[in-house]
Amino acid sequence: MNLRLSRRAAMFGTPLLLATQATADPAQIARAFAMRDKAVADGDQPYGAVIVRGSAIIAEMPSRVIVNGDPTAHAEMEAIRAAAKVLGSRDLSGCVLVSSSRPCPMCEAAAHWAGISRMYHGQVGVDAGAPGLCR
């Protein structure tokens, strides 16, 4: 496990360190791909995502763009919405986003605004770093 300064600490000098995973947990990757398979089985686009805090999966969702007729219902957006509901807060600081593929700019921006600490994607859990704006 690596330690890094939180975004708030970097901006305001608050001595708060966050623990981050060096790589994605294979079980978490498997859940993201299970959500991708669910999306396909439901007739949607092949994407899945999970939100994790510590070792616990907080939310897992498939893409629902086609099923819901909603262009913003990407798997990552759906997982962020579900995690916020489960935690009762829009602040997902300390959470990690694991998805079946690299999040698009919309999803990465949403992860940034939600305070997601890190993103991992793909079969091997490529570390995409902390979400940002305008990549």
Side-chain angles (χ1 to χ4, degrees):
M1 189 156 299
N2 297 329
L3 292 178
R4 69 173 181 82
L5 280 176
S6 72
R7 183 179 6 212
R8 288 185 182 102
M11 289 174 58
F12 302 112
T14 308
L16 173 66
L17 293 174
L18 294 177
T20 59
Q21 297 172 230
T23 59
D25 181 312
Q28 296 164 0
I29 295 168
R31 290 307 308 156
F33 277 85
M35 290 294 100
R36 180 198 67 173
D37 295 344
K38 179 174 177 15
V40 171
D42 292 346
D44 218 302
Q45 300 172 339
Y47 303 104
V50 298
I51 303 287
V52 179
R53 181 174 277 165
S55 61
I57 292 178
I58 304 300
E60 54 184 20
M61 296 297 290
S63 173
R64 292 186 170 165
V65 171
I66 306 299
V67 172
N68 290 354
D70 178 355
T72 69
H74 294 191
E76 296 87 351
M77 296 290 284
E78 293 290 288
I80 289 168
R81 289 175 184 133
K85 211 175 262 190
V86 166
L87 295 175
S89 173
R90 67 168 200 83
D91 182 5
L92 303 182
S93 295
C95 290
V96 171
L97 171 64
V98 180
S99 53
S100 59
S101 65
R102 174 89 165 130
C104 74
M106 174 183 70
C107 293
E108 184 168 354
H112 168 82
W113 290 116
I116 298 283
S117 300
R118 202 130 197 107
M119 301 182 307
Y120 297 93
H121 64 89
Q123 288 282 358
V124 295
V126 174
D127 183 349
L133 301 175
C134 304
R135 288 214 187 206

